[in-house]
């Protein structure tokens, strides 16, 4: 679908999302290994929760950053056009420059964030209270006899 206009649509939607954002942030690694990837994931999750607690929404924009990382680590998606592979090879450098990262930093995840308005009651997802679905464990002996 790329030649039939999907590229134009993706570029347009991305531009709209970025210009309507209050901010963008990038999570980067010093070393590319499983431990650092997990730590970056934990940091991303904590940042997301902190921003949510301050009334900000968070949306991952990681397709570009993760594809660039994968291509540079030798794992381009199967069937990727050679021209796209060369384009994605420039991705980490573009992100380093945009976020003023050090040359050795490896950009991994990209997010947009901004303030969100509280949804009206009728538009909210109905959720159970934690007490309704979590089993509470106790170290006290249980009397199971009836």
């Amino acid at each position: 679908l790329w030649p039939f206009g999907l590229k134009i649509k993706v570029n347009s939607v991305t531009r709209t999302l970025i210009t309507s954002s209050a901010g963008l942030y990038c999570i980067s690694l010093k070393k590319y290994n499983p431990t650092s990837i997990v730590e970056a994931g934990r940091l991303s999750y904590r940042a997301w929760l902190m921003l949510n607690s301050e009334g900000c929404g968070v949306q991952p924009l990681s397709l570009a950053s993760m594809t660039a990382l994968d291509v540079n680590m030798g794992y381009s998606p199967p069937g990727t056009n050679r021209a796209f592979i060369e384009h994605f090879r420039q991705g980490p450098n573009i992100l380093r420059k945009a976020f003023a990262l050090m040359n050795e930093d490896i950009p991994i995840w990209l997010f947009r964030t901004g303030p969100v308005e509280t949804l009206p009651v009728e538009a909210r997802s109905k959720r159970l209270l934690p007490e309704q679905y979590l089993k509470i464990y106790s170290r006290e002996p249980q009397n199971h006899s009836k």
Side-chain angles (χ1 to χ4, degrees):
L1 295 177
W2 204 254
F4 299 107
L6 183 60
K7 177 182 179 180
I8 293 167
K9 181 65 175 172
V10 167
N11 288 340
S12 170
V13 169
T14 301
R15 247 189 313 281
T16 301
L17 291 174
I18 289 173
T19 57
S20 68
S21 296
L24 294 171
Y25 66 97
C26 179
I27 304 291
S28 65
L29 306 172
K30 292 288 183 198
K31 294 178 185 174
Y32 183 76
N33 60 47
T35 301
S36 62
I37 292 170
V38 170
E39 286 302 316
R42 286 180 179 155
L43 172 62
S44 299
Y45 190 58
R46 283 191 307 268
W48 191 319
L49 291 174
M50 288 169 50
L51 286 162
N52 281 169
S53 73
E54 295 296 323
C56 291
V58 176
Q59 178 187 16
L61 296 177
S62 297
L63 181 60
S65 61
M66 289 300 293
T67 305
L69 176 67
D70 288 344
V71 166
N72 280 282
M73 295 299 167
Y75 303 105
S76 56
T80 303
N81 181 303
R82 199 78 202 135
F84 291 137
I85 290 174
E86 293 309 314
H87 180 70
F88 277 116
R89 285 198 198 285
Q90 299 306 312
N93 290 331
I94 293 168
L95 290 171
R96 280 185 197 103
K97 184 176 178 182
F99 289 95
L101 301 174
M102 302 298 287
N103 284 337
E104 64 274 2
D105 287 355
I106 304 165
I108 184 167
W109 285 301
L110 186 61
F111 300 89
R112 79 180 187 118
T113 186
V116 292
E117 295 180 19
T118 303
L119 291 173
V121 174
E122 60 274 5
R124 295 180 191 167
S125 297
K126 292 178 174 49
R127 298 187 181 184
L128 298 173
L129 295 172
E131 299 80 30
Q132 293 173 288
Y133 60 90
L134 289 178
K135 182 173 180 166
I136 298 174
Y137 290 94
S138 169
R139 290 189 175 265
E140 296 177 17
Q142 301 289 319
N143 183 359
H144 295 288
S145 60
K146 291 189 177 191

